[in-house]
Every structure is written in C-alpha cells, then in structure tokens.
Amino acid sequence: MSRIREIQKKKKIKKVKNNMKRVSSFANQKGILYVVSTPIGNKKEFSLRAQEVISSCDFVASEDTRTTGLLLSEFGIKKPMISCHEHNEKEASMKIIELLKDGKKIALTSDAGYPGISDPGEKLIKLVIENDIPVSIIHGSSAFLGGLLGSSLSTSKFYFHGFLNAKSSSRKKELEEIKSYPMTLIFYESPHRIMETLNDIYEIFGERNLTIARELTKIHEEYIYTSTSESLTLDSSTLKGEMVIIVEGCRKMEKIDEKSLKELLKSRLKDKTVSKKALAKEIAEIYNYRTNEIYEMIIKLDQKD
Ligand code: SAM
C-alpha cells in the first residue's frame, strides 16, 4: 500500500487531491503571472516593487485598461494592455495562459486594491496555477485589512464577506447564515446601499459594536466607531465614498436550556453544507459547551430523523 493511501486509511480520509506540487516563483525565467495590488486611494501607496515589476512585464492585464493605464502613465510606465474583467475573464484567461506558456511575463491588476478580492482575478489565478505556471503576489493596499486594523474590533480572528447581496431578502439570508460566527465580520458596501445594509445588519445581528471605515487613504478618511443600533441614526448624506463595515462577532452566550439547544441544532442540521464537526465546534464556542458534548447530541438527533 502506498504511503499516501496508508495515511488516508488511518485518518479515514475518503477523497483528497493526490497531486501535490511545489512551484518556485522565481526559479525559471519563463512565464509568470504577477498579481499586483494598486492603490485604493492615495497613489503614494503604489509601491516601488509594484512599479518595477510592472515595468519588467510584457503585458498588463487589467479590469479596466483606462483606469490602470492612467495610473501607470502617472508613474511613467507604458505597457501593452489586455482587458480582463468580470464579463470576459474566462476568454481573456485563455489568451493570457497562451502568452504565459510562450514565456511572457504578465501583471494582473484591478481598478483598486488586490485583484481577486471582490474584483476579477480569481478564475485567472486558479487557471494559471492549474497550468503549472508560477504566480507571485505583489503586495500593497487592501481596503478590508486597513478597515479591520483601524476598527478597534478584534483582529485575532476575522471573516471577510465582501459585498452582501443587493436584494434585501437575499442579504438578510446571507446575514442569518453568519449570525453566530464568533469572529469579527467584514463587509464591503457602496454609499447608495449603506443605510439599507446597516438596517439589515441590526435586524439580523441585534446589538453589537460596529465600525465604518470610509475613504481609506484619501483626504476624507474617517472611522465611525458606533454600534449596530446607533449606526441607524447616521445621516446618509454624510456617508459618501467607499466604505468597509466591520462588525463585532457573536458574543459567547450563557448556556441555553437543553430544549432550545436541541431545536437550534435540529434547524442547523438541515444545512447539509456544514459538517457535523464544524457545527458542533461553532455551537460549543458560542454557548460555552464542550465540542464533544454537542457533537454527541448532534449524532443522536441525526439518528432520530
Ligand atoms: N479589490 C479591492 C480590495 O482589495 O480591497 C476591493 C474592490 S471592491 C470592487 C470596492 C469596495 O472596496 C468598495 O465598495 C469599498 O467597500 C471597498 N473599498 C475600496 N477602496 C476603499 C477605500 N479607500 N476606503 C474604504 N473602502 C474601500
């Protein structure tokens, strides 16, 4: 029996990808995809390394060739551009893969911040890796990390959600699913939906600490330290520009009575996407139980159904 099968059997692992590979980013001088973060406001955050890397590339693939073109021209860089946006990412990716296989160096950018973070890029990056072509990330500005750090909420464990659904009913459903997460929660939002979203956050999460990080790195940068209920009193006309909403995670609760706990577990068990172990861990953390205790309860409830 192979070593990997032996480990899988011992650990009762049924299905894994047995195709480990180690890709050294700079070992060969052939094609490479650089994923380059661009400023989220203040242009001085466009790092020297980002400029140097882009200057060394054969092409720049960008979400909006005009936006990136303007940024590059401010730094005296001119490069052939490839358009790679939400609506053509698949086709553009095929073209980019061909160029990379041909030994070309390509920089991927989005309009601001990191490509692939609430911006196009994820599909291309995945495909490049699948094609055994190295990917290297050129670090820089990130709206959600800056927002989190300045939020005064816990940074030890956090969950990044990105944009919530534009439709209120779907948005509430999304919030309902993550309501019990104990870690700090981070959302992106646009100014025209901010009040609706704050309303839904309060309705679903109840009372918690909340911070709005607005216009980061720009002249009107502002942090609003408030709570979910108090945020509803904000004047929407003062909430212009770009925003990150950071919300305190679900606080640990006192033990609930057994009947309510069983009802909660029964309803959560309907969600087949969450494993029993993960559910046990989550509920145990929230209600101050031991994970094993909850896990045993889950198994019994599952057998009854
Ligand atoms: N790729 C970007 C990143 O790495 O953060 C995110 C792009 S996403 C399309 C745009 C959203 O990011 C905005 O609606 C806002 O929620 C957030 N954002 C971007 N720039 C920001 C800034 N300067 N201040 C606060 N939030 C910002």
Side-chain angles (χ1 to χ4, degrees):
M1 192 187 305
S2 72
R3 173 93 182 104
I4 182 85
R5 193 66 207 113
E6 223 174 276
I7 296 170
Q8 285 172 359
K9 217 173 159 197
K10 213 160 136 194
K11 293 195 180 285
K12 297 199 174 92
I13 296 169
K14 282 196 192 113
K15 211 175 134 200
V16 288
K17 263 188 178 175
N18 289 332
N19 53 1
M20 184 202 295
K21 59 181 178 187
R22 297 171 66 159
V23 184
S24 177
S25 302
F26 312 118
N28 69 33
Q29 292 304 304
K30 290 193 191 136
I32 177 166
L33 179 75
Y34 289 104
V35 180
V36 185
S37 167
T38 55
I40 56 166
N42 192 322
K43 300 272 164 56
K44 288 185 180 156
E45 289 196 348
F46 195 35
S47 75
L48 266 180
R49 183 163 186 238
Q51 295 173 48
E52 271 173 22
V53 161
I54 293 183
S55 299
S56 76
C57 281
D58 300 292
F59 295 92
V60 176
S62 53
E63 182 183 9
D64 182 335
T65 52
R66 247 197 83 218
T67 307
T68 302
L70 276 173
L71 173 74
L72 296 187
S73 72
E74 279 186 45
F75 288 85
I77 305 168
K78 193 156 173 44
K79 284 285 156 185
M81 312 277 272
I82 301 167
S83 163
C84 179
H85 50 74
E86 200 187 343
H87 305 291
N88 80 343
E89 193 175 347
K90 210 168 160 200
E91 306 87 77
S93 295
M94 303 316 291
K95 182 175 163 189
I96 292 167
I97 296 284
E98 286 313 308
L99 288 166
L100 290 166
K101 281 187 177 165
D102 203 32
K104 300 283 187 277
K105 292 189 172 71
I106 301 182
L108 174 69
T109 63
S110 64
D111 286 356
Y114 285 86
I117 300 295
S118 299
D119 264 343
E122 183 185 342
K123 288 194 195 99
L124 172 63
I125 296 168
K126 192 162 183 275
L127 203 65
V128 170
I129 296 167
E130 279 168 10
N131 277 273
D132 298 331
I133 298 163
V135 166
S136 184
I137 312 299
I138 307 301
H139 300 263
S141 316
S142 155
F144 81 81
L145 265 186
L148 171 69
L149 284 171
S151 70
S152 91
L153 298 172
S154 171
T155 57
S156 63
K157 283 185 187 165
F158 59 88
Y159 162 86
F160 171 68
H161 192 93
F163 288 101
L164 284 155
N165 203 292
K167 226 171 105 196
S168 181
S169 56
S170 314
R171 187 160 61 224
K172 284 186 190 162
K173 214 168 147 231
E174 274 179 72
L175 290 167
E176 210 44 86
E177 278 163 16
I178 57 173
K179 178 184 176 176
S180 57
Y181 286 11
M183 55 287 224
T184 305
L185 310 164
I186 311 169
F187 305 95
Y188 280 168
E189 197 45 281
S190 65
H192 69 272
R193 240 189 338 253
I194 182 78
M195 290 318 291
E196 278 179 55
T197 297
L198 290 174
N199 253 303
D200 291 345
I201 287 178
Y202 178 56
E203 186 181 323
I204 306 297
F205 288 177
E207 191 62 354
R208 294 190 194 181
N209 289 310
L210 178 146
T211 300
I212 299 173
R214 199 173 69 82
E215 293 286 85
L216 296 175
T217 77
K218 305 183 202 175
I219 192 99
H220 296 296
E221 176 175 298
E222 178 186 34
Y223 285 90
I224 307 173
Y225 302 102
T226 178
S227 70
T228 45
S229 62
E230 198 187 31
S231 72
L232 305 183
T233 64
L234 281 162
D235 175 353
S236 61
S237 69
T238 64
L239 296 179
K240 299 231 163 64
E242 301 193 278
M243 269 164 281
V244 186
I245 308 173
I246 309 103
V247 190
E248 181 187 9
C250 182
R251 292 185 201 155
K252 273 194 196 294
M253 296 185 194
E254 291 303 311
K255 285 194 177 176
I256 53 172
D257 63 88
E258 205 174 312
K259 190 167 163 258
S260 314
L261 180 61
K262 280 185 180 160
E263 268 163 25
L264 173 70
L265 290 175
K266 261 195 221 161
S267 91
R268 291 293 310 272
L269 274 169
K270 285 182 200 146
D271 179 2
K272 301 290 175 206
T273 61
V274 180
S275 77
K276 294 188 182 75
K277 277 200 177 138
L279 178 63
K281 192 164 179 284
E282 181 196 321
I283 300 294
E285 262 185 23
I286 296 170
Y287 293 102
N288 268 331
Y289 277 86
R290 282 185 301 110
T291 307
N292 273 353
E293 216 176 326
I294 302 289
Y295 186 70
E296 277 164 24
M297 233 181 238
I298 289 175
I299 298 296
K300 277 186 198 150
L301 285 172
D302 204 37
Q303 279 164 355
K304 269 191 202 161
D305 284 345

